[in-house]
Amino acid sequence: MKNQNLFAALRAAFPKDLDQVAVETDDELAYSWRDLDRATAMMANLLASLKLPAGSRIAVQVEKSVEAMMLYLATLRAGCVFLPLNTAYQSAEIEYFIANAEPAVVVCSPKNFGWVSKIAFQAGTQNVFTLGDDRTGSLLDRAAQHSDRHEVAVLGEDDLAAILYTSGTTGRSKGAMLTHGNLLSNAQVLKDYWGWVPGDVLIHALPIFHVHGLFVALHGALLNGSKMIWLGRFDPKKVIAAMPRASVFMGVPTLYVRLLGETGLTREAVRNMRLFIAGSAPLLIETFNEWRERTGHTILERYGMSETIMLTSNPYRPEQGDRRGGTVGFPLPGVGLRIRDEQGNDLPAEDIGGIQVRGPNVFKGYWRMPEKTAEEFTADGWFRTGDVGKVDGLGYVHIVGRSKDLIISGGYNVYPAEIEGFINELPGVAESALVGVPHPDFGEVGVAVVIAKPGAKLEPEAVVGTLKAKLANFKIPKRCFVVDELPRNTMGKVQKNLLREQYKALFD
Ligand code: MLC
Ligand code: AMP
């Protein structure tokens, strides 16, 4: 049987000459393909030496670095399950993920070792390593003691590769279980659909704890044996400076907005670039048009999610059609997409309804939540994305809204129910509502509207200040208002649409 381990396919795509540069960093380090092979072998041998049970989770909350990327690859290579965590998460958030996922290994930044290891050991995790973004930490020290040769673990396509936490509709985060087959099939489709060619060079400027940076960008480059210019964090000037040596860039819309804010973004700067891809949040038509005017390039917008990786894409090749701003293109080859109303009827072109999908890229279910998993699938096996949209007469998919209560801020998801839960627990708070309003940089940001308990005095700044100590920074409402009442419908439900309307011009 052919080994279905995703790492085996990525490794097979390495160039023949392993001494070529695979990754170049913004602090002027160069890693060869041989370095990737040897370091992932050593880390995989370290994981193997721990004699972990099959399917063990490796939870990782570290700053972006090439070694962090290697740890992901080593986890695949060893046949363990990668569980990436946003570096902004604080202790209450980390406590939940570790308790829920029960990882066998936790890897954290050296500066967080004190509090993360305490949480991990209390939850029963036996191995906690550190990994800094400057090639330090116990993970590398321990891995250095292992051989740099390793037989890639033999897996089937249904074996788990990663768990990505996401909240979907309501309640606590759910771990979306992605298999080797999900990831590899999607990466192969994208390699062809986006026309990757020998010699392509990717500018990697996204975080590596979400689908976009970890899977779409990374797998794209690796499966093509392409060099990456690796930026530890997004810096528009560095991206523009890298463009003459690169050909592909991927970003969330905020990255495009910030690049457009740079005078250095010119036709001359992008002369060698082949493709600009955007996704994870709606790309405003103004950004799409301005990009085309300024650079002569038409951004290719695509659509996906943690549970499904990539679902649709605007065409790359002109013969397949135009790249249309305001649309997310066509379902990718192998992806089924339909629009249904709430009664479950299929809707014709141009009618708006819930987007449902199926395909080899659709996840296996939510980690230890069979009921939640069942709720999100239809009886005939289609996944309910929670996105609302339509397919137009030409077959392009348009996303017009979300049935899930979700704010996408700078490409990160913020779940109002979670933030409201924290606000409601604060002393003096009777009730709260968090709504998303337009923002010129982040696309959308959260605004909290709070009612005080009778007799209590609430200061908006104090509410925000208290949240900052508890929640990841991107979840903090950008503004807070204390009001006497919230608009409600006849059922008593808060009418968030009216709040969104009221505060829509806040950041104009
Ligand atoms: C940072 N801040 C944010 C924020 N990022 N606030 C709201 N939304 C965000 N996304 C806060 C900081 O905490 C800080 O607050 C203030 O904003 C200014 O920070 P900054 O220095 O400007 O932020 P920066 O570090 O530059 O980060 C901005 C960013 C980053 C856009 C580079 O958010 C980012 O990398 N976004 C990409 C997310 C991503 O990869 N998504 C893919 C998901 S996958 P304060 O108060 O502390 O000063 C997916 C599926 C798919 O969705 O289809 O791809
Ligand atoms: P996540 O759960 O973090 O993977 O976020 C997935 C969600 O991001 C999707 O369900 C969509 O709501 C949204 N999304 C991703 N790509 C796009 C896009 N191109 N346009 C609009 N929304 C998008």
Side-chain angles (χ1 to χ4, degrees):
M1 188 192 79
K2 185 167 177 273
N3 188 358
Q4 305 290 338
N5 189 322
L6 166 65
F7 182 83
L10 299 178
R11 175 65 187 82
F14 283 16
K16 276 208 178 62
D17 175 7
L18 290 178
D19 291 320
Q20 282 179 26
V21 175
V23 188
E24 192 185 295
T25 69
D26 46 353
D27 43 7
E28 293 179 10
L29 293 173
Y31 295 74
S32 67
W33 293 93
R34 193 183 307 283
D35 293 334
L36 291 196
D37 190 37
R38 291 182 52 213
T40 56
M42 290 193 272
M43 289 185 201
N45 280 323
L46 166 61
L47 293 176
S49 74
L50 302 175
K51 304 272 181 271
L52 307 174
S56 287
R57 277 78 57 211
I58 314 296
V60 178
Q61 189 199 28
V62 297
E63 298 301 327
K64 183 176 174 183
S65 68
V66 177
E67 288 70 24
M69 179 263 280
M70 288 165 162
L71 173 59
Y72 162 59
L73 297 177
T75 303
L76 298 174
R77 187 168 186 159
C80 297
V81 180
F82 194 69
L83 198 168
L85 295 166
N86 193 319
T87 45
Y89 290 149
Q90 303 208 36
S91 58
E93 292 152 316
I94 293 295
E95 214 173 303
Y96 171 77
F97 296 122
I98 292 186
N100 190 260
E102 297 181 350
V105 176
V106 169
V107 184
C108 65
S109 298
K111 66 177 190 313
N112 296 338
F113 180 76
W115 65 269
V116 175
S117 61
K118 192 166 165 222
I119 292 172
F121 291 138
Q122 270 168 4
T125 300
Q126 308 229 333
N127 307 282
V128 181
F129 298 114
T130 58
L131 176 62
D133 58 2
D134 53 357
R135 302 184 309 291
T136 57
S138 60
L139 180 90
L140 298 179
D141 295 343
R142 289 284 300 275
Q145 297 162 13
H146 289 270
S147 159
D148 61 2
R149 301 182 76 89
H150 173 269
E151 281 289 317
V152 179
V154 178
L155 300 175
E157 61 180 6
D158 269 345
D159 285 316
L160 284 195
I163 298 181
L164 264 62
Y165 274 86
T166 166
S167 286
T169 37
T170 51
R172 296 309 303 252
S173 279
K174 307 184 288 263
M177 299 188 289
L178 292 160
T179 65
H180 285 257
N182 292 148
L183 296 173
L184 181 57
S185 62
N186 206 240
Q188 283 165 334
V189 165
L190 295 177
K191 175 172 163 19
D192 177 56
Y193 204 76
W194 290 342
W196 283 88
V197 285
D200 265 335
V201 174
L202 172 80
I203 301 175
H204 195 300
L206 287 163
I208 52 169
F209 39 71
H210 282 309
V211 160
H212 202 159
L214 184 65
F215 301 149
V216 188
L218 181 64
H219 295 167
L222 292 177
L223 201 58
N224 195 51
S226 271
K227 183 169 104 177
M228 284 182 275
I229 298 177
W230 188 263
L231 305 184
R233 60 187 300 276
F234 171 72
D235 173 341
K237 289 194 170 55
K238 285 187 182 173
V239 171
I240 293 169
M243 282 177 184
R245 293 175 289 128
S247 57
V248 182
F249 175 76
M250 299 189 195
V252 301
T254 300
L255 270 51
Y256 286 94
V257 170
R258 291 189 182 182
L259 284 164
L260 281 166
E262 296 290 327
T263 48
L265 182 78
T266 58
R267 284 184 188 233
E268 174 60 15
V270 303
R271 67 191 179 279
N272 285 337
M273 293 294 291
R274 178 176 72 80
L275 183 57
F276 290 96
I277 300 174
S280 306
L283 180 74
L284 291 182
I285 190 75
E286 292 81 3
T287 311
F288 176 89
N289 288 336
E290 201 184 331
W291 191 270
R292 183 144 65 186
E293 274 161 34
R294 182 90 76 83
T295 67
H297 278 269
T298 307
I299 297 176
L300 179 157
E301 187 174 2
R302 89 317 178 260
Y303 155 58
M305 57 196 299
S306 301
E307 289 92 334
T308 64
I309 335 165
M310 293 302 99
L311 290 166
T312 73
S313 172
N314 267 282
Y316 170 67
R317 298 176 177 87
E319 62 272 22
Q320 287 173 309
D322 302 330
R323 292 178 211 164
R324 302 204 163 198
T327 86
V328 292
F330 307 120
L332 285 164
V335 173
L337 184 144
R338 68 187 187 190
I339 309 288
R340 290 212 147 176
D341 66 14
E342 279 175 12
Q343 288 71 46
N345 303 307
D346 279 318
L347 294 175
E350 301 292 352
D351 278 13
I352 292 170
I355 301 178
Q356 300 184 355
V357 295
R358 69 173 177 196
N361 51 314
V362 175
F363 73 135
K364 205 171 169 173
Y366 294 111
W367 171 254
R368 291 186 183 159
M369 289 187 185
E371 301 84 19
K372 282 271 173 232
T373 304
E375 272 170 31
E376 306 289 344
F377 282 86
T378 63
D380 58 348
W382 291 65
F383 175 61
R384 299 186 171 95
T385 61
D387 291 309
V388 174
K390 66 171 190 179
V391 179
D392 69 20
L394 295 170
Y396 288 81
V397 177
H398 300 237
I399 298 176
V400 300
R402 302 173 203 123
S403 58
K404 48 194 176 192
D405 193 9
L406 162 69
I407 298 167
I408 304 186
S409 185
Y412 287 142
N413 291 1
V414 178
Y415 295 92
E418 183 192 7
I419 318 303
E420 289 159 4
F422 274 90
I423 300 178
N424 295 346
E425 278 177 19
L426 301 180
V429 171
E431 202 185 345
S432 65
L434 188 86
V435 291
V437 303
H439 188 273
D441 183 31
F442 293 123
E444 198 179 11
V445 293
V447 168
V449 190
V450 183
I451 307 183
K453 279 190 179 143
K457 178 122 185 62
L458 275 183
E459 293 299 335
E461 298 76 28
V463 172
V464 171
T466 317
L467 290 179
K468 277 190 177 167
K470 299 183 180 211
L471 288 169
N473 55 16
F474 66 88
K475 296 182 189 171
I476 307 299
K478 293 282 186 252
R479 291 288 296 276
C480 175
F481 295 93
V482 177
V483 300
D484 292 334
E485 56 186 339
L486 293 168
R488 292 174 195 282
N489 64 15
T490 47
M491 312 287 286
K493 198 168 175 281
V494 176
Q495 289 176 295
K496 289 196 167 177
N497 54 334
L498 296 184
L499 290 174
R500 273 191 286 271
E501 189 55 31
Q502 185 178 347
Y503 295 108
K504 72 176 182 203
L506 208 53
F507 298 98
D508 270 0

